[in-house]
Amino acid sequence: MKRHLLSAADLTLEDATLVLDTATELAQLTERATVKKLPTLRGRTVVNLFFEDSTRTRTSFELAAKRLSADVINFSAKGSSVSKGETLKDTALTLEAMGSDAVVVRHSWSGAPVNLSRFIRGSVINAGDGTHEHPTQALLDAYTMRQRLGRIEGLKVTIVGDILHSRVARSNVLLLHTLGADVTLVAPPTLLPVGVDQWPCQTSYDLDAVLPKSDVVMMLRVQRERMGAAYFPSTREYARRYGLDVRRVQTLSDDAIVMHPGPMVRGMEIAPEVADGVRSTIVEQVANGVSVRMAVLYLLLGGAEPAIGSDDQ
Amino acid sequence: MTHLLQNVRPYGGEGATDVRIADGRIAEIGPGLSLGQSTPYDGRGGVLLPGLVDLHTHLREPGREDAETVETGTLAAALGGFTAVHAMANTDPVADTAGVVEQVWRLGRDAGHCDVAPVGAVTIGLKGEQMAELGTMADSAARVRVFSDDGHCVSDASLMRRALEYVKAFDGVIAQHAQEPRLTVGAQMNEGVNSSLLGLTGWPAVAEEAIIARDCLLAAHVSGRLHICHVSTAGSVELVRWAKGKGVDVTAEVTPHHLVLTDDLASTYDPVFKVNPPLRTKTDVEALREGLADGTIDCVATDHAPHALEDKEAEWGAAAFGMTGLETALGVVVRAMGDRLSWRQVAERMSETPARIGRLEDHGRPIAVGEPANLCLVDPGARWTVDPSQSASRSRNTPFAGHELPVRVVATFLRGRPTVLDGRPA
């Protein structure tokens, strides 16, 4: 039985396509309706379990669940018993005892959603774990590409930035590979993980060489702290070599789009003019996030059996 | 009290024989010995080995008696066929003074399941800054000969050089946990394709190999005695082979788990597979087996590292490093090595050589008349399935739960006294 969404690798081509198609339908339904709420998950409880601050993702999941009429509980690690030393297991058992049907979890340790899924009966949705994965972000990115460009198969997608520490990059590489896109990762060698040569994608150190061939350019945030750890010498040099500025954008083909999962550092990895330009999908990505998360919740919780996701752990 | 071991095969040889044990020593060896006043034990053609010796055990006492005590750890050791274990220094307080090592040694003597040879810390508090009173620990009742900051690498090259020099005065050895700290900040598992996909910070092979290379050169320079703890990579095996070829006085150990398990297991995010050094790749496992078979790696050491449930039932990144291993060691080694090690070589790699490295005079001795009766008897055909709940250790963090092992220890004798009979505490 499929029950959880822990990794983008859990999704087959059929699963992923079903999520995107369902998201499209749900978006159309809520757009047409005067009352945006659907009764689908009435009586079900979704817990947002956030061990790490993320207003953006938490709000998106909350809105998605509420539009499906689910009851939503926001359980933030800060100010809760978690900060007093309660273990993940105890937190999970507490939520279980309260009768949650799905737990949306954000955690600073890679793999925590997998651990959580062993402790509870309900569905676990990974909303970002450490430097591992963020599958719903990849789904909303794929949704946005399909919306803008009409397809995903055969698209040349370039992901630029701190691949080493990026859960968005990992989930995107896996999902886009499943969906038939052609992914190239671009970063300084220090920000590409050892072992990336065995990922289902290409890599390059040269952004300028890759841009003219790209249909999609996805810029990732680069944290300034990485500079202290000697991943690169200065933010200025990083921006010069890997930042998407106005000059570089002009080398893109006419239809190419520019994406960013946010939060972005304007002037570092992306110039403000580019972030606000016509190619930019950054605001759409946020709106699409709600539709895609509605689809995931609906497909995991809506029927008697979950329609997508990973096997029972 | 005398015992007569009947129908046993020393070192797994062809002919079964009897062995009489009296006054803590082997009194007689030969087929069809008369029973006399001895208590008989039918060995059923089992393999008789010198009692196993572990160079690398964490007994957790003093400090973490909830995870293990000297009593429970040494009982687990006896059940695994061990008659001596070296207790690592990372207790609380750290075993960096004569007082602490004598306490651990006495706890071992009082428990009586196997001899406990305490390992002394190289530096005070394992901090890697100031040398501990190594000579005083050597001269204490515990007679410490092995010194290690295990869990921490003596990463300061100058301090390592001085330690290798200093212990020459009392025939000591520095057992190095080879881990360059700056290359392993926040490290969680082997660095490679698995760590990249799992988003866990990598522990690169080079962090181990760089220290081994440096320390072999240092040992050569000062003619010191170096032992490398838990070698885990193919490159490390190559470096040790090279150093031995140059005549460096270096020895090396490998753990049973590194002989069979790989970093693929990390994809479960189950911290029972989290260990330091981390599980590596198939290529490394094969190189370690080859190194152990050809003698480049001198011995097997368990790195038995018990942990309380709450320290393992956590997120991978928050969980403790380490696995238990005393009760499964022999079975795992036999399973991993198959025909590549004879029973004679098992005796060498798991008893004689570790006893020699640790300078334990009464252990790892030949099975011969007049020698101390530190022995273990193995049923070479007794397959069994590992069940953590059955372990004598206070902790349950074995990575081999559910694994079938090909051989089982049925009896252990410590100075002529049975500590284990019929696979149970005697």
Side-chain angles (χ1 to χ4, degrees):
Chain A
M1 188 178 91
K2 295 165 174 180
R3 206 168 45 153
H4 310 295
L5 180 58
L6 303 172
S7 161
D10 294 339
L11 299 167
T12 62
L13 175 59
E14 291 70 32
D15 283 343
T17 308
L18 181 60
V19 174
L20 301 183
D21 292 347
T22 306
T24 307
E25 279 176 47
L26 288 168
Q28 286 164 353
L29 272 175
T30 47
E31 245 168 58
R32 280 198 300 266
T34 42
V35 178
K36 288 189 184 298
K37 248 179 152 139
L38 303 170
T40 325
L41 296 185
R42 185 176 291 154
R44 316 298 295 271
T45 303
V46 175
V47 175
N48 276 326
L49 177 59
F50 276 60
F51 292 88
E52 208 179 61
D53 281 336
S54 171
T55 311
R56 180 186 303 254
T57 305
R58 184 183 55 72
T59 313
S60 179
F61 268 107
E62 185 174 351
L63 198 53
K66 283 181 171 166
R67 283 199 180 153
L68 293 170
S69 304
D71 294 321
V72 181
I73 298 167
N74 286 314
F75 194 104
S76 158
K78 279 191 178 156
S80 75
S81 47
V82 171
S83 56
K84 296 168 194 150
E86 184 175 274
T87 63
L88 182 68
K89 182 182 181 179
D90 289 321
T91 305
L93 296 178
T94 303
L95 298 177
E96 183 83 350
M98 291 174 181
S100 66
D101 297 293
V103 178
V104 176
V105 60
R106 161 68 64 97
H107 202 291
S108 55
W109 284 121
S110 300
V114 178
N115 300 130
L116 190 69
S117 72
R118 298 208 173 99
F119 296 132
I120 63 175
R121 284 189 295 266
S123 296
V124 174
I125 299 168
N126 181 0
D129 60 329
T131 53
H132 177 222
E133 286 211 41
H134 193 354
T136 59
Q137 176 72 43
L139 284 165
L140 78 87
D141 289 338
Y143 181 92
T144 305
M145 290 175 209
R146 197 172 78 165
Q147 193 180 45
R148 273 279 190 121
L149 302 170
R151 67 193 166 103
I152 294 170
E153 195 176 355
L155 284 183
K156 300 208 177 306
V157 180
T158 300
I159 304 177
V160 189
D162 185 357
I163 308 298
L164 179 62
H165 301 96
S166 175
R167 50 195 173 209
V168 175
R170 282 171 180 76
S171 285
N172 262 298
V173 167
L174 295 171
L175 182 71
L176 290 170
H177 174 70
T178 301
L179 291 168
D182 196 354
V183 180
T184 302
L185 303 175
V186 180
T190 46
L191 291 177
L192 286 169
V194 167
V196 74
D197 53 318
Q198 291 176 65
W199 290 14
C201 62
Q202 309 291 310
T203 58
S204 170
Y205 308 136
D206 185 353
L207 182 56
D208 289 314
V210 177
L211 285 180
K213 294 174 281 187
S214 304
D215 299 306
V216 177
V217 186
M218 186 185 298
M219 302 306 294
L220 302 176
R221 179 169 62 125
V222 178
Q223 293 178 312
R224 285 171 201 278
E225 300 94 272
R226 306 291 178 217
M227 193 172 78
Y231 287 103
F232 51 86
S234 70
T235 51
R236 197 166 48 194
E237 174 158 317
Y238 181 88
R240 192 177 297 138
R241 293 178 64 84
Y242 296 99
L244 192 61
D245 55 20
V246 175
R247 176 189 64 81
R248 284 203 167 104
V249 161
Q250 286 164 356
T251 68
L252 288 169
S253 67
D254 290 347
D255 298 333
I257 58 171
V258 173
M259 307 181 74
H260 197 302
M264 55 187 160
V265 187
R266 289 174 183 247
M268 172 83 171
E269 73 267 6
I270 190 162
E273 299 87 340
V274 179
D276 301 330
V278 287
R279 296 173 184 277
S280 169
T281 64
I282 295 169
V283 179
E284 288 153 68
Q285 283 171 269
V286 176
N288 292 341
V290 177
S291 305
V292 161
R293 285 167 181 134
M294 283 173 76
V296 167
L297 287 168
Y298 172 74
L299 293 169
L300 286 178
L301 298 181
E305 295 274 301
I308 54 159
S310 88
D311 285 339
D312 199 355
Q313 292 280 331
Chain B
M1 188 80 166
T2 67
H3 292 269
L4 185 65
L5 288 176
Q6 298 170 311
N7 192 18
V8 296
R9 294 182 297 128
Y11 309 109
E14 286 300 312
T17 189
D18 296 348
V19 175
R20 192 187 313 280
I21 299 168
D23 300 326
R25 291 189 176 268
I26 296 172
E28 245 183 308
I29 300 178
L33 295 182
S34 68
L35 186 56
Q37 298 298 308
S38 305
T39 308
Y41 187 80
D42 184 0
R44 299 163 191 255
V47 176
L48 189 65
L49 300 174
L52 307 182
V53 175
D54 193 12
L55 266 178
H56 197 140
T57 312
H58 296 275
L59 293 177
R60 302 290 185 226
E61 190 177 3
R64 283 307 299 268
E65 290 82 356
D66 58 323
E68 195 80 286
T69 62
V70 173
E71 159 73 28
T72 58
T74 54
L75 180 58
L79 288 164
F82 291 90
T83 53
V85 298
H86 288 76
M88 275 298 171
N90 61 339
T91 48
D92 182 13
V94 171
D96 57 2
T97 62
V100 178
V101 294
E102 285 194 353
Q103 180 197 358
V104 171
W105 173 74
R106 282 214 174 81
L107 286 168
R109 206 182 49 174
D110 295 348
H113 302 304
C114 77
D115 286 351
V116 174
V119 174
V122 178
T123 65
I124 295 171
L126 308 172
K127 288 192 163 69
E129 291 161 4
Q130 192 184 342
M131 203 188 291
E133 290 187 346
L134 309 184
T136 311
M137 289 189 272
D139 295 340
S140 74
R143 298 187 68 254
V144 178
R145 291 295 177 273
V146 181
F147 299 91
S148 181
D149 275 1
D150 183 56
H152 301 269
C153 179
V154 181
S155 63
D156 183 308
S158 165
L159 191 59
M160 186 62 185
R161 173 212 163 127
R162 295 300 176 213
L164 284 165
E165 284 180 310
Y166 192 76
V167 299
K168 286 161 61 175
F170 34 87
D171 199 23
V173 61
I174 303 295
Q176 177 71 295
H177 171 117
Q179 178 180 1
E180 164 52 56
R182 291 289 299 144
L183 289 174
T184 49
V185 176
Q188 296 293 332
M189 66 170 293
N190 179 52
E191 184 166 56
V193 66
N194 284 320
S195 65
S196 76
L197 287 168
L198 295 171
L200 292 170
T201 306
W203 196 133
V206 62
E208 174 172 310
E209 293 155 6
I211 293 292
I212 293 177
R214 182 200 77 177
D215 287 357
C216 286
L217 296 171
L218 286 173
H221 183 59
V222 302
S223 302
R225 193 154 74 91
L226 171 68
H227 178 72
I228 311 291
C229 295
H230 41 51
V231 162
S232 73
T233 76
S236 298
V237 177
E238 221 174 299
L239 285 163
V240 171
R241 193 175 282 134
W242 168 83
K244 286 185 165 182
K246 295 278 179 193
V248 178
D249 192 358
V250 59
T251 52
E253 70 188 32
V254 64
T255 71
H257 49 266
H258 286 112
L259 289 172
V260 284
L261 306 178
T262 68
D263 69 346
D264 290 342
L265 290 163
S267 63
T268 62
Y269 287 106
D270 183 344
V272 80
F273 301 113
K274 180 176 174 179
V275 66
N276 188 5
L279 300 177
R280 304 284 187 187
T281 68
K282 252 174 117 169
T283 312
D284 296 301
V285 166
E286 183 44 43
L288 293 170
R289 290 179 181 182
E290 194 184 318
L292 184 64
D294 72 17
T296 301
I297 298 174
D298 302 81
C299 61
V300 173
T302 66
D303 195 5
H304 175 80
H307 284 293
L309 198 55
E310 69 271 20
D311 293 330
K312 277 294 192 181
E313 211 171 49
E315 303 87 338
W316 181 284
F321 288 98
M323 305 170 163
T324 59
L326 287 166
E327 289 160 275
T328 49
L330 183 66
V332 172
V333 169
V334 169
R335 187 182 105 186
M337 300 302 288
D339 292 339
R340 294 160 83 169
L341 278 190
S342 65
W343 283 109
R344 186 72 200 77
Q345 289 171 312
V346 169
E348 191 180 287
R349 309 286 196 275
M350 296 189 74
S351 173
E352 295 164 7
T353 304
R356 178 171 51 74
I357 294 167
R359 300 295 192 248
L360 300 181
E361 289 165 5
D362 287 349
H363 293 273
R365 300 293 305 167
I367 300 173
V369 173
E371 294 289 349
N374 294 317
L375 299 165
C376 90
L377 181 64
V378 182
D379 182 339
R383 304 190 76 84
W384 62 292
T385 303
V386 180
D387 175 0
S389 70
Q390 297 299 307
S391 173
S393 167
R394 196 162 273 191
S395 294
R396 298 287 171 260
N397 55 305
T398 171
F400 297 110
H403 284 236
E404 196 181 62
L405 299 182
V407 302
R408 174 146 221 175
V409 172
V410 289
T412 309
F413 287 81
L414 176 64
R415 275 185 293 282
R417 187 174 51 78
T419 54
V420 172
L421 285 177
D422 298 329
R424 288 188 291 274

mmCIF file of all heavy atoms in Angstrom, chain B residues 367-390:
data_model
loop_
_atom_site.group_PDB
_atom_site.id
_atom_site.type_symbol
_atom_site.label_atom_id
_atom_site.label_comp_id
_atom_site.label_asym_id
_atom_site.label_seq_id
_atom_site.Cartn_x
_atom_site.Cartn_y
_atom_site.Cartn_z
ATOM 1 N N ILE B 367 47.571 -24.089 22.128
ATOM 2 C CA ILE B 367 46.819 -25.132 22.834
ATOM 3 C C ILE B 367 47.822 -26.259 23.066
ATOM 4 O O ILE B 367 48.042 -27.111 22.198
ATOM 5 C CB ILE B 367 45.604 -25.593 22.009
ATOM 6 C CG1 ILE B 367 44.673 -24.406 21.758
ATOM 7 C CG2 ILE B 367 44.857 -26.714 22.719
ATOM 8 C CD1 ILE B 367 43.512 -24.701 20.815
ATOM 9 N N ALA B 368 48.480 -26.218 24.221
ATOM 10 C CA ALA B 368 49.557 -27.168 24.507
ATOM 11 C C ALA B 368 49.647 -27.369 26.012
ATOM 12 O O ALA B 368 49.219 -26.511 26.793
ATOM 13 C CB ALA B 368 50.899 -26.627 23.980
ATOM 14 N N VAL B 369 50.176 -28.500 26.414
ATOM 15 C CA VAL B 369 50.291 -28.832 27.836
ATOM 16 C C VAL B 369 51.132 -27.773 28.546
ATOM 17 O O VAL B 369 52.180 -27.340 28.052
ATOM 18 C CB VAL B 369 50.911 -30.237 28.014
ATOM 19 C CG1 VAL B 369 51.199 -30.526 29.491
ATOM 20 C CG2 VAL B 369 49.966 -31.294 27.445
ATOM 21 N N GLY B 370 50.621 -27.316 29.703
ATOM 22 C CA GLY B 370 51.339 -26.329 30.498
ATOM 23 C C GLY B 370 50.904 -24.903 30.233
ATOM 24 O O GLY B 370 51.237 -24.002 31.008
ATOM 25 N N GLU B 371 50.161 -24.692 29.156
ATOM 26 C CA GLU B 371 49.722 -23.332 28.820
ATOM 27 C C GLU B 371 48.465 -22.962 29.616
ATOM 28 O O GLU B 371 47.699 -23.843 30.011
ATOM 29 C CB GLU B 371 49.411 -23.232 27.315
ATOM 30 C CG GLU B 371 50.621 -23.403 26.413
ATOM 31 C CD GLU B 371 51.581 -22.203 26.468
ATOM 32 O OE1 GLU B 371 51.181 -21.162 27.044
ATOM 33 O OE2 GLU B 371 52.703 -22.317 25.950
ATOM 34 N N PRO B 372 48.228 -21.656 29.826
ATOM 35 C CA PRO B 372 47.011 -21.231 30.532
ATOM 36 C C PRO B 372 45.771 -21.711 29.779
ATOM 37 O O PRO B 372 45.728 -21.645 28.547
ATOM 38 C CB PRO B 372 47.091 -19.704 30.505
ATOM 39 C CG PRO B 372 48.501 -19.372 30.161
ATOM 40 C CD PRO B 372 49.057 -20.522 29.400
ATOM 41 N N ALA B 373 44.808 -22.199 30.539
ATOM 42 C CA ALA B 373 43.600 -22.744 29.899
ATOM 43 C C ALA B 373 42.589 -21.636 29.623
ATOM 44 O O ALA B 373 41.523 -21.567 30.222
ATOM 45 C CB ALA B 373 42.994 -23.837 30.781
ATOM 46 N N ASN B 374 42.959 -20.754 28.697
ATOM 47 C CA ASN B 374 42.031 -19.755 28.172
ATOM 48 C C ASN B 374 41.621 -20.235 26.789
ATOM 49 O O ASN B 374 42.409 -20.173 25.841
ATOM 50 C CB ASN B 374 42.703 -18.382 28.098
ATOM 51 C CG ASN B 374 43.023 -17.842 29.476
ATOM 52 O OD1 ASN B 374 42.214 -17.934 30.389
ATOM 53 N ND2 ASN B 374 44.226 -17.314 29.645
ATOM 54 N N LEU B 375 40.411 -20.763 26.712
ATOM 55 C CA LEU B 375 40.003 -21.502 25.511
ATOM 56 C C LEU B 375 38.569 -21.172 25.126
ATOM 57 O O LEU B 375 37.771 -20.763 25.968
ATOM 58 C CB LEU B 375 40.084 -23.010 25.803
ATOM 59 C CG LEU B 375 41.461 -23.566 26.164
ATOM 60 C CD1 LEU B 375 41.309 -24.965 26.775
ATOM 61 C CD2 LEU B 375 42.368 -23.600 24.941
ATOM 62 N N CYS B 376 38.279 -21.372 23.839
ATOM 63 C CA CYS B 376 36.869 -21.338 23.459
ATOM 64 C C CYS B 376 36.580 -22.463 22.486
ATOM 65 O O CYS B 376 37.424 -22.860 21.681
ATOM 66 C CB CYS B 376 36.446 -19.966 22.932
ATOM 67 S SG CYS B 376 36.599 -19.693 21.189
ATOM 68 N N LEU B 377 35.386 -23.021 22.628
ATOM 69 C CA LEU B 377 34.966 -24.165 21.837
ATOM 70 C C LEU B 377 33.829 -23.734 20.923
ATOM 71 O O LEU B 377 32.858 -23.122 21.370
ATOM 72 C CB LEU B 377 34.492 -25.286 22.774
ATOM 73 C CG LEU B 377 34.041 -26.585 22.109
ATOM 74 C CD1 LEU B 377 35.188 -27.274 21.370
ATOM 75 C CD2 LEU B 377 33.443 -27.526 23.158
ATOM 76 N N VAL B 378 33.987 -24.060 19.633
ATOM 77 C CA VAL B 378 33.057 -23.575 18.624
ATOM 78 C C VAL B 378 32.358 -24.751 17.957
ATOM 79 O O VAL B 378 33.018 -25.727 17.577
ATOM 80 C CB VAL B 378 33.812 -22.766 17.543
ATOM 81 C CG1 VAL B 378 32.847 -22.208 16.500
ATOM 82 C CG2 VAL B 378 34.625 -21.646 18.175
ATOM 83 N N ASP B 379 31.052 -24.654 17.824
ATOM 84 C CA ASP B 379 30.319 -25.629 17.015
ATOM 85 C C ASP B 379 30.298 -25.083 15.590
ATOM 86 O O ASP B 379 29.612 -24.099 15.310
ATOM 87 C CB ASP B 379 28.901 -25.803 17.553
ATOM 88 C CG ASP B 379 28.126 -26.863 16.761
ATOM 89 O OD1 ASP B 379 28.520 -27.155 15.605
ATOM 90 O OD2 ASP B 379 27.122 -27.377 17.290
ATOM 91 N N PRO B 380 31.066 -25.717 14.682
ATOM 92 C CA PRO B 380 31.204 -25.138 13.343
ATOM 93 C C PRO B 380 29.991 -25.359 12.456
ATOM 94 O O PRO B 380 29.957 -24.865 11.326
ATOM 95 C CB PRO B 380 32.426 -25.869 12.783
ATOM 96 C CG PRO B 380 32.435 -27.185 13.478
ATOM 97 C CD PRO B 380 31.831 -26.961 14.847
ATOM 98 N N GLY B 381 28.983 -26.070 12.958
ATOM 99 C CA GLY B 381 27.814 -26.309 12.117
ATOM 100 C C GLY B 381 26.537 -25.753 12.712
ATOM 101 O O GLY B 381 25.445 -25.998 12.198
ATOM 102 N N ALA B 382 26.655 -24.990 13.795
ATOM 103 C CA ALA B 382 25.446 -24.511 14.488
ATOM 104 C C ALA B 382 25.011 -23.177 13.941
ATOM 105 O O ALA B 382 25.458 -22.124 14.368
ATOM 106 C CB ALA B 382 25.713 -24.410 15.985
ATOM 107 N N ARG B 383 24.132 -23.212 12.958
ATOM 108 C CA ARG B 383 23.603 -21.958 12.415
ATOM 109 C C ARG B 383 22.625 -21.373 13.424
ATOM 110 O O ARG B 383 21.881 -22.104 14.076
ATOM 111 C CB ARG B 383 22.898 -22.203 11.086
ATOM 112 C CG ARG B 383 23.757 -22.877 10.046
ATOM 113 C CD ARG B 383 23.101 -22.874 8.677
ATOM 114 N NE ARG B 383 23.192 -21.576 8.054
ATOM 115 C CZ ARG B 383 24.261 -21.153 7.363
ATOM 116 N NH1 ARG B 383 25.312 -21.934 7.218
ATOM 117 N NH2 ARG B 383 24.287 -19.951 6.833
ATOM 118 N N TRP B 384 22.654 -20.060 13.547
ATOM 119 C CA TRP B 384 21.712 -19.400 14.466
ATOM 120 C C TRP B 384 21.356 -18.036 13.940
ATOM 121 O O TRP B 384 22.088 -17.465 13.131
ATOM 122 C CB TRP B 384 22.290 -19.306 15.882
ATOM 123 C CG TRP B 384 23.558 -18.499 16.004
ATOM 124 C CD1 TRP B 384 24.787 -18.822 15.492
ATOM 125 C CD2 TRP B 384 23.732 -17.242 16.670
ATOM 126 N NE1 TRP B 384 25.707 -17.856 15.809
ATOM 127 C CE2 TRP B 384 25.097 -16.873 16.539
ATOM 128 C CE3 TRP B 384 22.877 -16.393 17.390
ATOM 129 C CZ2 TRP B 384 25.607 -15.693 17.077
ATOM 130 C CZ3 TRP B 384 23.393 -15.228 17.934
ATOM 131 C CH2 TRP B 384 24.751 -14.887 17.774
ATOM 132 N N THR B 385 20.205 -17.551 14.359
ATOM 133 C CA THR B 385 19.726 -16.249 13.893
ATOM 134 C C THR B 385 19.860 -15.235 15.026
ATOM 135 O O THR B 385 19.436 -15.505 16.149
ATOM 136 C CB THR B 385 18.258 -16.358 13.438
ATOM 137 O OG1 THR B 385 18.195 -17.364 12.415
ATOM 138 C CG2 THR B 385 17.757 -15.046 12.872
ATOM 139 N N VAL B 386 20.457 -14.105 14.697
ATOM 140 C CA VAL B 386 20.726 -13.095 15.716
ATOM 141 C C VAL B 386 19.421 -12.426 16.160
ATOM 142 O O VAL B 386 18.651 -11.924 15.333
ATOM 143 C CB VAL B 386 21.700 -12.023 15.180
ATOM 144 C CG1 VAL B 386 21.968 -10.963 16.243
ATOM 145 C CG2 VAL B 386 22.995 -12.675 14.713
ATOM 146 N N ASP B 387 19.185 -12.456 17.457
ATOM 147 C CA ASP B 387 18.003 -11.830 18.047
ATOM 148 C C ASP B 387 18.485 -10.858 19.120
ATOM 149 O O ASP B 387 18.955 -11.270 20.170
ATOM 150 C CB ASP B 387 17.108 -12.918 18.657
ATOM 151 C CG ASP B 387 15.908 -12.330 19.398
ATOM 152 O OD1 ASP B 387 15.769 -11.085 19.447
ATOM 153 O OD2 ASP B 387 15.113 -13.126 19.946
ATOM 154 N N PRO B 388 18.376 -9.549 18.838
ATOM 155 C CA PRO B 388 18.924 -8.561 19.788
ATOM 156 C C PRO B 388 18.386 -8.725 21.205
ATOM 157 O O PRO B 388 19.098 -8.468 22.163
ATOM 158 C CB PRO B 388 18.475 -7.218 19.190
ATOM 159 C CG PRO B 388 18.170 -7.484 17.768
ATOM 160 C CD PRO B 388 17.747 -8.915 17.678
ATOM 161 N N SER B 389 17.133 -9.171 21.328
ATOM 162 C CA SER B 389 16.551 -9.256 22.669
ATOM 163 C C SER B 389 17.213 -10.351 23.500
ATOM 164 O O SER B 389 17.083 -10.383 24.717
ATOM 165 C CB SER B 389 15.042 -9.511 22.575
ATOM 166 O OG SER B 389 14.812 -10.829 22.114
ATOM 167 N N GLN B 390 17.947 -11.256 22.842
ATOM 168 C CA GLN B 390 18.615 -12.347 23.552
ATOM 169 C C GLN B 390 20.039 -11.983 23.972
ATOM 170 O O GLN B 390 20.734 -12.786 24.581
ATOM 171 C CB GLN B 390 18.661 -13.602 22.665
ATOM 172 C CG GLN B 390 17.293 -14.166 22.320
ATOM 173 C CD GLN B 390 16.522 -14.588 23.551
ATOM 174 O OE1 GLN B 390 17.005 -15.346 24.383
ATOM 175 N NE2 GLN B 390 15.310 -14.045 23.701
#
